[in-house]
Amino acid sequence: MSKRDDHANVRTAVRYHEAVSRFAGPEELASFLHPDAVHTQLPNILFPTGTVRGLSELVAAAQQGRTMLADQRFEVTSAVASGDRVALEAVWTGTLAVPLGDLPAGHVLRAHVAAFLEFRDGRIIAQRNYDCYEPVSPGSSD
């Protein structure tokens, strides 16, 4: 992102995605999230029926990601804020640490992400993700 919005919630949203990218520990992740936080993952190739998680489930899922992925990265390409809401676009890449279905360890997944975050008291209370995964083909590692 060439010029980030100077809005405090945008800065928090970007820092949060950076923390998720580097598999930050539970305490650090929870520091970005309101105790009543709810994360909604809309249906996609990895979550065909979608998911809805509260704070403890969200932190646990992030930690589980460490076992599934060798690395991951969110490249935030744009973000805008209006009051307590942030709309963020990012490109996510994740390298599988273990096989996933027909995909071998080492396979790189890519998704174009639209995330809509709501803040309360400077922390994320709601997040909705619309992840559009690029086609996957076994045998292709990049």
Side-chain angles (χ1 to χ4, degrees), residues 44-95:
N44 59 57
I45 194 167
L46 294 183
F47 300 100
T49 60
T51 63
V52 178
R53 297 178 172 130
L55 177 61
S56 61
E57 297 164 312
L58 180 57
V59 171
Q63 297 311 298
Q64 181 184 8
R66 295 178 127 178
T67 64
M68 299 293 299
L69 298 170
D71 62 57
Q72 69 175 340
R73 180 170 184 258
F74 282 93
E75 177 190 344
V76 176
T77 57
S78 69
V80 295
S82 177
D84 288 332
R85 295 176 182 243
V86 171
L88 180 140
E89 285 182 287
V91 176
W92 173 84
T93 56
T95 304

Side-chain angles (χ1 to χ4, degrees), residues 69-133:
L69 298 170
D71 62 57
Q72 69 175 340
R73 180 170 184 258
F74 282 93
E75 177 190 344
V76 176
T77 57
S78 69
V80 295
S82 177
D84 288 332
R85 295 176 182 243
V86 171
L88 180 140
E89 285 182 287
V91 176
W92 173 84
T93 56
T95 304
L96 292 175
V98 297
L100 178 65
D102 293 336
L103 302 175
H107 186 86
V108 177
L109 298 170
R110 286 185 179 80
H112 302 270
V113 176
F116 297 87
L117 300 97
E118 297 176 36
F119 287 77
R120 182 181 300 158
D121 303 324
R123 296 165 82 184
I124 300 164
I125 189 153
Q127 179 176 347
R128 286 178 318 286
N129 271 56
Y130 298 81
D131 298 346
C132 181
Y133 284 85

